[in-house]
Amino acid sequence: MNIFDIKGPEDIKSLDETELTLMAEDIRQFLILSIAKTGGHLSSNLGIVELTLALHYVFDSPQDKIFFDVGHQSYVHKILTGRVNEFASLRQYKGIAGFQKRVESTHDVWEAGHSSTSLSAALGMAVARDLNHEGYQVIPIIGDAALTSGMAMEALNQIGSEGRKMVIVFNDNNMSISQNVGAMDEAFTRLRTSKPYNTIKTDLKEVLSINKVGKSLLEGMRNIKNAVKENVVDTSIFGEFKLDYIGPVDGHDLHDLIRVFKQVKNHEGPIVVHVITKKGKGYPFAEEDRSGKWHGVSQFDPVTGKSLAMLPAGHLSWSEVISNTLVRLAAENEDIVAITPAMIGGSKLQNFFDAYPKRSFDCGIAEEHAMTFAASLALNGKRPFLSIYSSFLQRAYDQISHDVARMHLPVVIGIDRAGLVGEDGETHHGVFDIAMLRPLPNMVIAQPKDSNEAQLMLALAFHQDSPFAIRYPRGNVPFTPINLDACDIKIGTWTIWESEEPSKVIVISYGPDVDRIIAKAKVNNKHITIVNARFFKPIDEEMLVTLIQRKLPIIIYETDMLCGGLSDAILSYCNDNQITKQFIRIGLEDHFVEHGSLPQLRKAEHIDTNSLFEVISQYD
C-alpha cells in the first residue's frame, strides 16, 4: 500500500505482516528524505516505525487512546492517521506541528513537549473512562530516559495503587537525547539483558491451556512460575509498583509486536510491554550516533549526512560562548562545577565534561532534582553552574524559589534557548522565565547583548553571593575570547547609545536586539537613544529616572511576554515612586505562540525590528 493513500489507521488493518514490513521501510525512507528538507526529530522517529505500525494495527485509534511521551516521536503516528501529504509543512509556520496537536487530528489525544507527562495523563484518561462506564484502552508510550523522571515515578506509584486497565509501552532504546545516566538506567540495562521470561511464560500458558492435563500442569506450576517471575522480573521497578510485565520484545519485529499487543489488548489492570528499539534505525549516521546529534536536526544532505546549516566564520552558538567561558573560569576556580539535566549536547557542555569529569554532573531528566542538588553544592562552598533550557526551567520553579532564592545561595543558572525558539513551538518557546523569576527575592536576572558581554557577565556571576540567572537565546553570535579579569559590569546597570543628532525617541531593549536596533538606526539615519537594559532585576533606577526627565517618548521593546517582563518592572518602579510617564510597550501579548521560523513568528507577533521602526517613525 502506498503510504500517501493512507487516510487513517483502518487502512492498514487489512494488510498482512509482509505488507506491513514493506510499509515500514517505505515510511523510514520517507522520513529520512522529508526531514532532510524540513528539519525535525529524526532518530526517535526512525526507531519507532514498527512499534507505531503494530499499535495502530492492533488497537483502534481514536477510540483507544494512543499517545507518546514528549510527542516529538509521533511522526509515524501522523503518517498513519492521514497526514503524510502535509509533511512538507512539518514544523513550518501554519503547517503541521512536530509534536502531537489536538487541533490537527482526533487521533492526537494528548499534547506535550516536555518529558514524563504521559503516565499521569494515561491514568487520568483511565479513571475518566471507568467513571463514564466506557471500555476503551489507554496506551501511553514512554521511553527509558523519561521513565527515570520523578513525575513518571509519581504516576507509576498511583497507577499501581489504582490498578486501572492500561497498556504502558516501555520504549527502551537506551538513549535520551544522548546516552542515559544513573542507577535507573543500570536497572533497565539488567532488565533488557535478562531472559525474556514473561514472553516465554505466555507461550507456555497458551500451549498448556489446550487440554485438561495441560491445565492441571499449568496450575501445578503456578507457584514455581511466580517465584521465578519474582526473581527474574518483579525485583525490577515494575514489579515493585505492582504492574504486570511482558517482554523484552524486539521493537523492530512486527510479528512479535503484533502478537504481544493482541495478548495484552484486553488485559485487566495495568501492564507494561517492554519493547527494545534502536534509535535512528535504518539510517547509519543516526544509528551510530551516541552524542544526540541526530536527535533533532536542521536541513541535511540525506546521502552524506552533512548539515546544510553552517555557522558563519568566527561565530559560535550562544551555548558554546557560555560553555567555553565556563571552562576558562573553572581553570582558575576549582570550586566551579557544571550541572545539566540530560542536555550535555544541547547546552554544549561536552568540553567542560571532558576537561573536568569530576566536577561535571548529568542528572538525567530531573530538573527539580538538579536545582536542589545545585543549591546544596552552593551551600557547601561550591560554585555550581546549572545549564537549563528556559522552557524546562518551569519544571524547577519550586526549587528555585524554595531552595535557591529563599536560602540566598550563589547558584548560577544559565537559561539557554531564552526567547522564541522557532519550529518547536508553544511547548519550547522560552518567553516566561523573566516573569517567573522577577518576583523571587534575592534573584539577579540578566541578558547580555553580545558575546563579550556574555563572557563578562558569567565572570561577574561567579563573584556574587546571590542567585544569578543569565539568559541567552538560540542561535549564534560573533565570538572572540576576551580578558575575563577586566569586568567592569556592575549589578543592575544598563548602558546607553546615542545617535549623533539629538534624539527624538528613546528605545529600551535587551539582548541581541540592541545591536540590531543600533545598526538599523544608523542605516536609516534615525535620531534615537537606545538603552541596553541588560538587567531585568535589579533595574537601573538611576538611568531610568534620567531617561524620563528628558521628556521624550520611550518605547520599551521586549521579545518575551509583556506580562511580568521588563516593562512591568519599569511601570512598577514608576508607580511606586509617583513618577508619571506613559510608555509605548512592544512585546508578546497574553497567548501561546505557535511554531514557525523566527522571522515569521516575530513578524506575526509584531515584535520584529521593522514593526519597531514603524512605531519609531511616528515620533522621529
Side-chain angles (χ1 to χ4, degrees):
M1 183 179 185
N2 191 323
I3 63 173
F4 291 94
D5 294 332
I6 298 174
K7 305 301 181 188
E10 63 278 0
D11 291 339
I12 71 169
K13 292 184 182 294
S14 61
L15 303 180
D16 60 31
E17 290 180 5
T18 299
E19 291 171 316
L20 287 174
T21 300
L22 292 173
M23 179 174 284
E25 290 308 309
D26 289 344
I27 290 173
R28 196 165 266 119
Q29 290 306 308
F30 169 79
L31 287 173
I32 294 168
L33 296 175
S34 180
I35 296 172
K37 295 177 182 178
T38 63
H41 291 93
L42 181 64
S43 288
S44 52
N45 284 287
L46 293 178
I48 205 170
V49 175
E50 289 85 1
L51 174 56
T52 310
L53 272 167
L55 286 167
H56 277 293
Y57 189 75
V58 173
F59 295 96
D60 299 308
S61 177
Q63 289 77 28
D64 292 328
K65 312 303 181 188
I66 302 172
F67 60 101
F68 302 83
D69 201 273
V70 185
H72 63 267
Q73 73 283 49
S74 62
Y75 294 7
V76 185
H77 164 81
K78 292 186 182 232
I79 291 171
L80 298 179
T81 52
R83 286 170 273 180
V84 66
N85 291 294
E86 301 176 63
F87 262 70
S89 71
L90 178 70
R91 303 170 76 246
Q92 309 302 305
Y93 187 56
K94 299 301 181 183
I96 60 172
F99 300 82
Q100 286 178 293
K101 198 77 174 169
R102 289 180 300 154
V103 296
E104 283 185 17
S105 172
T106 58
H107 297 277
D108 289 4
V109 298
W110 181 253
E111 293 181 12
H114 298 172
S115 83
S116 312
T117 66
S118 61
L119 299 184
S120 300
L123 181 58
M125 291 179 190
V127 170
R129 173 202 62 205
D130 294 347
L131 291 174
N132 293 334
H133 307 290
E134 297 173 309
Y136 59 81
Q137 187 58 274
V138 178
I139 310 103
I141 299 96
I142 184 168
D144 47 322
L147 196 56
T148 65
S149 171
M151 184 174 181
M153 294 293 104
E154 293 169 14
L156 281 180
N157 183 53
Q158 190 178 356
I159 289 171
S161 174
E162 290 280 344
R164 308 278 178 168
K165 180 177 75 171
M166 72 173 68
V167 176
I168 299 170
V169 179
F170 175 34
N171 177 29
D172 181 3
N173 58 28
N174 196 23
M175 289 281 283
S176 176
I177 292 177
S178 53
Q179 286 184 279
N180 293 336
V181 296
M184 286 286 290
D185 179 62
E186 294 172 7
F188 292 151
T189 298
R190 291 193 296 271
L191 183 58
R192 74 175 65 96
T193 56
S194 67
K195 184 179 179 181
Y197 179 75
N198 281 269
T199 300
I200 296 171
K201 181 196 74 177
T202 305
D203 292 342
L204 280 172
K205 184 175 181 180
E206 290 175 350
V207 173
L208 293 176
S209 297
I210 293 173
N211 54 52
K212 291 183 179 180
V213 175
K215 289 179 180 178
S216 297
L217 180 58
L218 179 64
E219 184 66 27
M221 291 175 62
R222 188 175 305 277
N223 291 336
I224 297 174
K225 174 185 68 179
N226 288 338
V228 174
K229 179 175 181 288
E230 181 177 349
N231 288 324
V232 174
V233 174
D234 281 1
T235 52
S236 75
I237 190 168
F238 303 117
E240 294 298 326
F241 282 106
K242 300 179 182 178
L243 304 176
D244 288 334
Y245 171 99
I246 187 168
V249 182
D250 184 347
H252 302 295
D253 188 319
L254 274 163
H255 174 77
D256 282 357
L257 288 168
I258 291 170
R259 180 171 62 90
V260 168
F261 287 139
K262 284 181 176 179
Q263 288 175 4
V264 303
K265 184 175 183 178
N266 297 312
H267 181 80
E268 290 301 324
I271 184 168
V272 175
V273 179
H274 184 181
V275 178
I276 306 291
T277 60
K278 187 173 184 61
K279 201 170 183 182
K281 175 73 173 177
Y283 190 53
F285 297 112
E287 281 192 19
E288 296 165 8
D289 176 36
R290 304 301 289 176
S291 67
K293 173 185 175 182
W294 288 94
H295 172 77
V297 296
S298 55
Q299 295 174 320
F300 66 95
D301 183 333
V303 176
T304 65
K306 291 185 177 180
S307 173
L308 301 181
M310 304 298 292
L311 280 177
H315 284 59
L316 291 181
S317 70
W318 280 95
S319 304
E320 288 175 302
V321 170
I322 295 296
S323 178
N324 289 357
T325 307
L326 186 69
V327 170
R328 293 177 60 198
L329 292 168
E332 303 297 326
N333 184 350
E334 63 181 15
D335 287 329
I336 290 177
V337 299
I339 305 166
T340 176
M343 295 301 294
I344 297 175
S347 295
K348 304 301 182 185
L349 285 173
Q350 190 62 58
N351 56 348
F352 191 98
F353 274 61
D354 290 341
Y356 305 107
K358 293 184 178 180
R359 293 154 62 183
S360 305
F361 304 94
D362 184 349
C363 298
I365 302 176
E367 292 86 357
E368 303 96 322
H369 158 64
M371 191 64 68
T372 299
F373 173 56
S376 184
L377 283 165
L379 185 64
N380 289 277
K382 298 301 161 185
R383 298 307 306 257
F385 173 81
L386 172 56
S387 177
I388 189 166
Y389 284 16
S390 174
S391 63
F392 300 154
L393 185 70
Q394 299 159 186
R395 299 164 73 99
Y397 189 67
D398 178 66
Q399 289 71 27
I400 301 172
S401 173
H402 192 266
D403 300 331
V404 176
R406 187 183 60 84
M407 288 196 281
H408 203 168
L409 296 175
V411 175
V412 180
I413 305 171
I415 307 178
D416 203 341
R417 305 306 199 269
L420 294 176
V421 297
E423 291 81 359
D424 282 336
E426 294 98 320
T427 58
H428 282 61
H429 291 315
V431 296
F432 303 107
D433 57 84
I434 301 171
M436 287 193 305
L437 297 181
R438 271 193 52 238
L440 300 181
N442 301 322
M443 288 295 305
V444 175
I445 314 164
Q447 180 169 352
K449 73 179 182 67
D450 56 31
S451 66
N452 286 359
E453 203 165 64
Q455 295 173 74
L456 294 176
M457 202 170 276
L458 188 61
L460 173 68
F462 283 108
H463 287 89
Q464 305 304 310
D465 293 325
S466 297
F468 199 121
I470 305 175
R471 64 194 313 266
Y472 40 96
R474 185 180 185 183
N476 59 78
V477 63
F479 173 75
T480 302
I482 63 173
N483 179 10
L484 299 178
D485 295 326
C487 181
D488 59 353
I489 300 177
K490 294 182 179 180
I491 298 292
T493 59
W494 298 347
T495 61
I496 194 167
W497 178 88
E498 300 274 10
S499 59
E500 293 183 0
E501 300 293 330
S503 295
K504 298 181 179 180
V505 63
I506 298 169
V507 177
I508 301 176
S509 191
Y510 55 85
D513 281 305
V514 170
D515 284 340
R516 296 188 189 115
I517 299 167
I518 292 173
K520 195 174 182 71
K522 290 178 179 178
V523 169
N524 292 278
N525 194 31
K526 293 292 183 182
H527 304 151
I528 60 178
T529 294
I530 301 170
V531 176
N532 172 24
R534 58 192 178 184
F535 286 93
F536 306 98
K537 185 178 183 180
I539 62 172
D540 193 332
E541 298 171 357
E542 181 179 346
M543 181 179 289
L544 179 60
V545 170
T546 301
L547 294 170
I548 292 171
Q549 289 172 346
R550 292 170 64 172
K551 306 296 184 182
L552 293 174
I554 298 179
I555 301 169
I556 306 172
Y557 173 66
E558 43 195 325
T559 51
D560 298 280
M561 300 301 291
L562 284 172
C563 182
L566 174 64
S567 57
D568 263 9
I570 291 171
L571 290 170
S572 294
Y573 175 80
C574 290
N575 181 75
D576 293 347
N577 290 276
Q578 295 81 48
I579 298 173
T580 302
K581 176 67 179 179
Q582 185 173 3
F583 298 89
I584 302 98
R585 300 202 300 162
I586 297 175
L588 294 177
E589 301 289 347
D590 188 23
H591 62 264
F592 289 97
V593 179
E594 61 186 299
H595 62 273
S597 70
L598 282 176
Q600 288 172 318
L601 295 179
R602 287 169 69 105
K603 182 177 180 180
E605 297 294 329
H606 306 292
I607 59 170
D608 59 315
T609 53
N610 286 336
S611 296
L612 168 64
F613 274 78
E614 288 177 7
V615 177
I616 290 172
S617 296
Q618 299 175 23
Y619 301 96
D620 183 31

